[in-house]
Amino acid sequence: MSDKEPVIELVKHLPQDVTLREIVQKIEFIAAIREGFDQIDQGQGIPIEQVEQIMDTWTTK
């Protein structure tokens, strides 16, 4: 799927009163998700166990 296709689908499903800033934010979110999937495909992801340890440090005092 090209980068253009998910943007077209996004715009089709947005309400008529959406602002340009909101559209940009949604496109940036989609781009970040796709970049993350690409990194995982390239073996650059972080194991879930490591993520859980990092998150534990956020919530413990």
Side-chain angles (χ1 to χ4, degrees), residues 14-55:
L14 290 173
Q16 290 296 318
D17 62 344
V18 68
T19 67
L20 287 175
R21 187 155 316 276
E22 290 170 326
I23 295 170
V24 169
Q25 289 172 343
K26 291 181 184 305
I27 292 171
E28 287 175 342
F29 178 76
I30 291 171
I33 296 297
R34 289 185 67 151
E35 288 171 9
F37 282 137
D38 288 344
Q39 289 175 346
I40 290 170
D41 290 345
Q42 296 170 12
Q44 300 173 347
I46 299 173
I48 188 64
E49 295 82 9
Q50 187 176 352
V51 172
E52 289 170 345
Q53 290 174 347
I54 293 168
M55 289 176 60

